């Protein structure tokens, strides 16, 4: 036993020792719960200033992209590292349109899937399934990998829309080559061309959700890809990770909470009780932002706009009241609205069912996932952190008949 050097604390961790322990044979060593503050990779894709509430994609502020860009252009920019020329963008858009169609077997399978599972689980299954029919499956050259990536990004909206149409017993609506990525999704979902203003709002929401550094789902994709597994497996890992309520699953729960509260005058009591019971208010707080999330600021404007357009201010007025109270109560702790707080109101006015909010997040974020996987694997090293062993050094094995 003498020569074995386990990475373990000298004495059991005490409360307050959460981020630091003295390790046998290693001296003082830091560990970071939830990897907070750990730099796990170099990246030139995006950066967040969590103190000032700023987000840039490859140097361009998110506000500028939301104002001037399209989802397709932003996707190209994130994936290839430069803004496309007019002809490069036309080519990219045409490629995305061509790749929107699902393999026949995948389409048939979606039509037969049960109507009850959460659509994030359907998305996981369908992306994995579609990978089996990917003609570029075995490609490892840059163009082949890019084509696989663009195919997944183009297929995800079709998977979500087809599944929704099938589970609600409506005819599926094939992609419309005259429409852009965001507008085409709304078209396939609703079976009619969307109002151009609403299609643009959805396009902006997609830009805002496209990328966000080494968040949990992107990191999950990178971990999978760092083993030199395939891109479909990496995206499936990311989808499973985004589903959780502490990550992408929060948007769906925000609307549930707004409905539960019902009217603005009930906000005070609801939030007070939730905080007293140590329950989280969904759509608030962030590991990196300690101020207002810039994406939430933009989405709030569109939530306002759509509320006025539809003459229905119920959700926005409850939302604003929650925001006011949360900032008053927890602002000093750095808790502010995040991207998920107002996105659900926007999506609801666009006619997107609640359980599709997180799949729609995945649809946008697929670009960020792919961009990070491509960037990281160009200079790859497998992710393999260490655990901090807190168990005993040696325990005698007791045969089962002697155990009590
Ligand atoms: N409501 C009430 N209190 C909160 C909230 C919240 N939404 N978020 C954090 N806190 C408190 C938390 O209780 C803790 O307090 P104390 O120090 O007294 O124990 C403190 O703030 C720090 O919280 P934490 O859990 O250590 O922070 P974290 O960086 O590990 O977690 C988070 C970040 C996003 C998971 C968390 O803020 C949260 O659970 N938010 C609600 C879920 C949500 O909106 N998720 C979407 C995140 S943004 C988009 C995305 O990633 O999809």
């Amino acid at each position: 036993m003498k020569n074995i050097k386990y990475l373990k604390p000298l004495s059991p961790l005490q409360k307050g020792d959460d981020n630091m322990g003295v390790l046998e044979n290693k001296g003082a060593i830091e560990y970071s719960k939830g990897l907070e503050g750990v730099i796990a990779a170099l990246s030139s894709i995006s950066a967040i200033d969590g103190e000032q509430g700023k987000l840039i994609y490859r140097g361009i502020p998110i506000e500028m992209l939301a104002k001037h860009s399209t989802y397709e252009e932003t996707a190209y920019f994130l994936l290839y590292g430069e803004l496309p020329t007019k002809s490069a963008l036309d080519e990219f858009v045409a490629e995305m349109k061509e790749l929107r169609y699902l393999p026949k077997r995948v389409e048939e399978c979606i039509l037969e899937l049960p109507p009850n599972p959460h659509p994030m689980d359907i998305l996981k299954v369908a992306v994995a399934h579609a990978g089996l029919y990917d003609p570029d499956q075995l490609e490892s050259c840059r163009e082949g990998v890019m084509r696989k990536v663009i195919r997944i990004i183009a297929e995800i909206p079709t998977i979500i829309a087809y599944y929704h149409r099938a589970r609600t017993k409506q005819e599926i609506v094939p992609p419309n080559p005259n429409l852009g990525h965001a507008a085409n999704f709304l078209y396939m979902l609703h079976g009619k061309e969307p109002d151009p203003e609403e299609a643009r709002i959805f396009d902006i929401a997609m830009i805002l959700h496209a990328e966000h550094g080494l968040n949990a789902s992107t990191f999950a994709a990178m971990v999978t890809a760092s083993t030199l597994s395939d891109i479909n497996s990496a995206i499936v890992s990311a989808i499973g990770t985004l589903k959780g309520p502490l990550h992408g699953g929060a948007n769906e729960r925000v609307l549930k909470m707004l409905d539960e509260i019902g009217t603005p005058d009930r906000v005070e009591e609801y939030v007070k009780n939730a905080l007293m019971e140590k329950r989280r208010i969904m759509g608030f707080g962030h590991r990196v932002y300690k101020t207002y999330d810039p994406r939430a600021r933009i989405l709030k404007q569109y939530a306002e706009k759509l509320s006025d357009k539809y003459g229905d201010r119920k959700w926005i007025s409850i939302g604003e009241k929650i925001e006011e109270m949360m900032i008053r109560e927890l602002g000093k702790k750095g808790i502010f609205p995040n991207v998920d707080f107002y996105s659900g109101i926007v999506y609801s006015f666009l006619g997107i069912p609640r359980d599709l909010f997180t799949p729609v997040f995945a649809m946008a974020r697929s670009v960020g996932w792919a961009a990070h996987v491509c960037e990281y694997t160009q200079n790859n090293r497998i992710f393999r952190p260490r655990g901090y062993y807190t168990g005993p050094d040696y325990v005698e094995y007791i045969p089962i008949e002697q155990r009590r």
Side-chain angles (χ1 to χ4, degrees):
M1 288 282 93
K2 267 252 145 65
N3 293 329
I4 298 177
K5 292 187 173 69
Y6 298 113
L7 190 61
K8 71 186 279 283
L10 267 181
S11 52
L13 284 179
Q14 306 292 327
K15 198 168 164 35
D17 276 355
D18 254 17
N19 291 314
M20 174 77 83
V22 177
L23 294 185
E24 213 170 34
N25 307 310
K26 293 272 174 188
I29 194 164
E30 244 183 284
Y31 100 97
S32 174
K33 195 170 179 185
L35 299 182
E36 179 170 4
V38 171
I39 308 291
L42 301 178
S43 175
S44 62
I45 300 173
S46 70
I48 304 166
D49 180 336
E51 298 303 320
Q52 296 200 53
K54 303 247 182 274
L55 169 63
I56 51 174
Y57 291 173
R58 297 194 182 278
I60 302 186
I62 191 70
E63 294 78 8
M64 223 173 252
L65 290 165
K67 191 163 178 195
H68 302 293
S69 188
T70 59
Y71 181 72
E72 288 90 325
E73 184 186 59
T74 299
Y76 183 103
F77 182 45
L78 289 169
L79 290 170
Y80 292 101
E82 54 187 27
L83 283 171
T85 59
K86 168 91 176 65
S87 65
L89 181 59
D90 289 347
E91 214 177 287
F92 182 71
V93 168
E95 188 178 13
M96 277 185 69
K97 285 182 177 175
E98 181 200 316
L99 296 175
R100 280 174 184 167
Y101 299 85
L102 300 180
K104 200 76 205 138
R105 274 303 294 135
V106 177
E107 184 181 315
E108 285 164 3
C109 182
I110 287 177
L111 301 185
E112 285 161 19
L113 287 168
N116 311 4
H118 194 281
M120 282 299 273
D121 292 324
I122 300 292
L123 190 58
K124 242 174 1 195
V125 170
V127 168
H129 191 190
L132 304 179
Y133 301 96
D134 190 331
D136 297 307
Q137 204 181 125
L138 302 175
E139 286 284 348
S140 56
C141 67
R142 184 160 161 79
E143 294 90 79
V145 171
M146 269 304 170
R147 203 161 164 85
K148 279 196 273 198
V149 158
I150 297 166
R151 181 175 285 111
I152 297 171
I153 295 166
E155 284 174 346
I156 288 179
T158 315
I159 292 171
I160 300 168
Y162 278 16
Y163 176 64
H164 178 68
R165 301 284 297 183
R167 71 175 174 168
T168 52
K169 306 211 174 328
Q170 302 177 79
E171 285 284 308
I172 56 163
V173 179
N176 181 339
N178 300 319
L179 297 175
H181 194 70
N184 175 59
F185 171 72
L186 295 175
Y187 168 77
M188 292 190 295
L189 192 70
H190 299 315
K192 61 178 190 338
E193 286 198 26
D195 167 82
E197 187 193 36
E198 294 187 8
R200 176 61 188 149
I201 292 174
F202 186 51
D203 194 38
I204 292 168
M206 296 277 294
I207 293 171
L208 298 175
H209 284 84
E211 156 59 12
H212 210 230
L214 266 66
N215 56 83
S217 56
T218 301
F219 189 56
M222 290 167 69
V223 171
T224 302
S226 81
T227 68
L228 302 185
S229 182
D230 61 294
I231 182 79
N232 279 72
S233 300
I235 301 290
V236 170
S237 297
I239 295 170
T241 308
L242 186 72
K243 181 186 169 197
L246 297 188
H247 193 7
N251 54 13
E252 183 183 337
R253 285 161 179 88
V254 169
L255 255 282
K256 193 164 168 261
M257 172 178 73
L258 299 185
D259 275 348
E260 228 174 284
I261 296 174
T263 49
D265 59 302
R266 296 196 50 222
V267 166
E268 197 82 23
E269 190 195 346
Y270 181 95
V271 174
K272 214 164 81 194
N273 286 341
L275 296 183
M276 230 161 52
E277 290 161 17
K278 300 240 167 267
R279 277 189 284 125
R280 304 240 158 163
I281 301 293
M282 292 289 126
F284 280 84
H286 198 275
R287 175 61 64 78
V288 186
Y289 294 115
K290 296 304 161 205
T291 183
Y292 215 111
D293 180 331
R295 302 165 300 170
R297 211 179 275 292
I298 301 172
L299 287 164
K300 183 181 178 183
Q301 285 168 22
Y302 290 108
E304 289 267 7
K305 192 173 185 154
L306 288 166
S307 303
D308 289 339
K309 176 174 172 176
Y310 282 95
D312 179 358
R313 293 192 54 87
K314 185 178 117 182
W315 287 319
I316 192 75
S317 49
I318 298 172
E320 283 174 336
K321 197 91 211 285
I322 299 176
E323 176 186 324
E324 190 191 305
M325 190 169 167
M326 283 293 282
I327 294 178
R328 193 177 72 220
E329 295 294 318
L330 294 180
K332 51 192 167 307
K333 235 171 145 179
I335 309 280
F336 287 84
N338 62 48
V339 70
D340 288 326
F341 193 59
Y342 288 107
S343 62
I345 300 182
V346 170
Y347 296 154
S348 295
F349 282 118
L350 300 181
I352 299 173
R354 277 184 205 177
D355 62 356
L356 297 189
F357 292 177
T358 315
V360 158
F361 190 159
M363 169 178 151
R365 184 57 59 81
S366 55
V367 165
W369 294 334
H372 279 278
V373 163
C374 292
E375 180 185 62
Y376 187 76
T377 50
Q378 285 199 359
N379 191 11
N380 191 59
R381 190 159 193 230
I382 191 169
F383 283 107
R384 204 315 185 179
R386 295 290 300 270
Y388 196 82
Y389 180 63
T390 57
D393 267 8
Y394 179 75
V395 173
E396 195 75 46
Y397 178 81
I398 303 171
I400 195 158
E401 30 327 316
Q402 293 172 25
R403 286 179 219 155
R404 345 166 131 233

